[in-house]
């Protein structure tokens, strides 16, 4: 990729991110239209069943009076070439007279993969598949959904500097600061479901909702799941009473759970705890990403370790648990806390 193509695809990715959480099981896609090296129109897939990003970008160009014939489109995912809830995007691109299309990556969906690119090329459009690493990372949940037949699992943990997730059993408490908690709201806004174990649900009684400003403009709200081995959970908990989003009780093993959720259209699952639940997903080798909020707080021997142990755990103990080797792929500071992102090696 040259510098311009890198910039245009970055702009398309920013558009795609606007649809996260609202399009599943369809992917969030972004597109920009470029003339003479300048982005003149933008669009993204806003909701499941709605117009795709390519069509939104073409409409945006028309509203702005930007000529389309001979222009270039940069789109994060391969345009579809089939009739679904909407007509094929390839047809709209050809009718607009675009000269060139830059594709971030091929669509892993069996109905789409390769067909859109071939259709455009046969019609004389110059198509370049960039295989952009940023795009590959963005579509990791969607790719897992279609290639592995299960939902993608992000494990979110908040730990003190001595590896504790709470002060003691039965006493809910904040480990991280307000900046980290705001970031958790942003993360929740981008997933399809949020899961906690029964003990966490009954002790903390969390809402597991998406709060402002990240709830503003959302068309869908993440489902809330309580994992209980016996399927028994107190029904007076807030998630069953507030009506903000679907609330499910599931008793499956992690391996069966992620496949059942995929059958329900859940592409991306956020596991928020507690310790035993985190350990069960890691032990099953089903965690695709770890988000570890490391706090400078020290809790000490009265606290509960990140995986249920009472002894002091090192703060990065998730990396030596389960069947995968992990590498640090990013870190960012939120107030006094640091968010560490880990991916499988």
């Amino acid at each position: 990729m040259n510098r311009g193509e890198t910039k245009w695809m970055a702009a398309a990715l920013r558009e795609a991110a606007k649809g996260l959480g609202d399009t599943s099981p369809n992917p969030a896609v972004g597109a920009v239209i470029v003339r003479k090296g300048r982005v003149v129109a933008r669009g993204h897939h806003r909701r499941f069943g709605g117009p795709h990003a390519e069509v939104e970008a073409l409409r945006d160009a028309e509203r702005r009076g930007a000529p389309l014939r001979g222009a270039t489109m940069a789109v994060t995912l391969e345009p579809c070439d089939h009739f679904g809830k909407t007509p094929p995007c390839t047809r709209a691109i050809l009718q607009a007279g675009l000269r060139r299309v830059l594709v971030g990556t091929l669509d892993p969906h069996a109905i789409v993969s390769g067909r859109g690119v071939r259709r455009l090329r046969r019609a004389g459009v110059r198509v370049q598949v960039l295989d952009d690493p940023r795009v590959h990372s963005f579509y990791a949940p969607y790719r897992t959904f279609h290639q592995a037949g299960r939902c993608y699992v992000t494990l979110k943990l908040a730990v003190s500097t001595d590896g504790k997730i709470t002060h003691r059993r039965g006493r809910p408490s904040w480990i991280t600061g307000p900046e980290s908690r705001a970031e958790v709201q942003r993360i929740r806004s981008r997933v399809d479901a949020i899961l906690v174990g029964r003990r966490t649900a009954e002790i903390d009684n969390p809402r597991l909702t998406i709060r402002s400003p990240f709830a503003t403009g959302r068309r869908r709200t993440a489902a809330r799941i309580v994992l209980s081995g016996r399927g028994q959970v107190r029904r007076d908990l807030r998630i069953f009473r507030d009506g903000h989003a679907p609330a499910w009780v599931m008793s499956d093993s992690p391996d069966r759970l992620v496949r059942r959720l995929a059958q329900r259209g859940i592409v991306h699952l956020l596991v928020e705890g507690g310790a035993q639940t985190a350990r069960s997903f890691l032990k099953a080798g089903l965690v695709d990403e770890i988000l570890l909020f490391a706090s400078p707080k020290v809790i000490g021997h009265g606290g509960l370790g990140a995986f249920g142990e009472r002894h002091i755990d090192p703060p990065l103990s998730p990396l030596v648990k389960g069947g995968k080797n992990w590498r640090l792929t990013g870190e960012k500071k939120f107030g006094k806390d640091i968010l560490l992102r880990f991916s499988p090696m």
Side-chain angles (χ1 to χ4, degrees):
M1 288 186 293
N2 61 38
R3 183 176 299 178
E5 293 165 351
T6 300
K7 182 175 66 174
W8 303 335
M9 191 55 63
L13 272 173
R14 288 194 293 271
E15 286 296 309
K18 296 176 183 178
L20 285 173
D22 281 325
T23 64
S24 289
N26 283 355
V29 180
V32 299
I33 295 173
V34 179
R35 286 193 66 86
K36 297 180 180 179
R38 187 172 65 89
V39 173
V40 297
R42 306 167 186 267
H44 68 278
H45 186 31
R46 298 174 183 272
R47 60 178 176 82
F48 176 70
H52 290 187
E54 299 92 328
V55 172
E56 292 280 14
L58 293 170
R59 290 176 179 175
D60 186 47
E62 292 172 357
R63 286 192 296 268
R64 296 172 182 272
L68 288 169
R69 191 157 298 279
T72 294
M73 174 181 284
V75 59
T76 54
L77 194 66
E78 176 183 12
C80 67
D81 188 44
H82 67 283
F83 281 89
K85 292 186 176 296
T86 61
C89 292
T90 51
R91 187 172 72 172
I93 290 170
L94 294 174
Q95 289 174 344
L98 296 181
R99 178 178 62 89
R100 184 182 180 213
V101 175
L102 301 175
V103 176
T105 187
L106 295 179
D107 193 322
H109 196 306
I111 294 177
V112 182
S113 187
R115 287 182 53 181
V117 167
R118 288 193 296 271
R119 170 72 182 277
L120 293 174
R121 284 175 173 164
R122 283 198 304 265
V125 177
R126 290 172 51 199
V127 180
Q128 183 179 354
V129 181
L130 301 179
D131 283 325
D132 189 324
R134 299 168 300 175
V135 179
H136 278 282
S137 177
F138 183 86
Y139 286 114
Y142 180 66
R143 190 166 53 251
T144 298
F145 180 78
H146 282 288
Q147 294 181 346
R150 65 170 178 85
C151 58
Y152 182 92
V153 178
T154 295
L155 173 61
K156 189 271 292 182
L157 295 168
V159 297
S160 63
T161 194
D162 54 346
K164 302 302 179 181
I165 62 171
T166 188
H167 287 81
R168 64 174 182 268
R169 293 184 188 276
R171 177 189 165 192
S173 57
W174 293 114
I175 298 294
T176 56
E179 297 88 352
S180 292
R181 298 199 291 274
E183 174 63 7
V184 170
Q185 294 299 315
R186 189 190 70 83
I187 294 167
R188 286 180 177 178
S189 74
R190 295 181 164 210
V191 303
D192 304 311
I194 305 163
L195 179 145
V196 295
R198 179 189 62 81
R199 285 188 58 82
T200 296
E202 294 185 344
I203 292 172
D204 293 352
N205 197 12
R207 295 185 184 276
L208 301 180
T209 52
I210 303 163
R211 293 183 279 279
S212 294
F214 303 104
T216 304
R218 291 238 342 158
R219 295 169 176 83
R220 304 174 78 180
T221 303
R224 300 167 296 178
I225 303 169
V226 178
L227 183 61
S228 171
R230 297 181 179 178
Q232 298 176 348
V233 181
R234 281 174 29 211
R235 291 292 170 165
D236 61 343
L237 299 178
R238 290 190 288 194
I239 63 171
F240 299 121
R241 297 166 50 205
D242 61 22
H244 286 307
W248 306 331
V249 178
M250 303 185 76
S251 58
D252 305 276
S253 67
D255 183 67
R256 178 173 166 78
L257 176 80
V258 294
R259 298 184 186 282
R260 284 192 63 196
L261 290 178
Q263 292 170 0
R264 296 190 183 191
I266 301 298
V267 175
H268 193 170
L269 172 68
L270 177 65
V271 175
E272 292 204 5
Q276 300 295 340
T277 300
R279 182 163 56 186
S280 68
F281 275 87
L282 282 164
K283 186 176 180 180
L286 292 170
V287 176
D288 299 292
E289 175 186 47
I290 297 173
L291 300 179
L292 185 71
F293 287 87
S295 165
K297 290 183 179 179
V298 176
I299 292 177
H301 289 276
L304 180 65
F307 296 90
E309 302 90 347
R310 283 287 184 172
H311 62 272
I312 299 296
D313 288 325
L316 301 188
S317 58
L319 307 184
V320 296
K321 304 282 183 176
K324 296 181 180 178
N325 293 317
W326 300 88
R327 61 188 176 92
L328 178 66
T329 55
E331 56 183 284
K332 187 173 182 180
K333 194 168 179 60
F334 291 93
K336 296 180 179 180
D337 308 320
I338 298 177
L339 171 58
L340 303 172
R341 184 184 299 269
F342 296 92
S343 300
M345 296 185 69

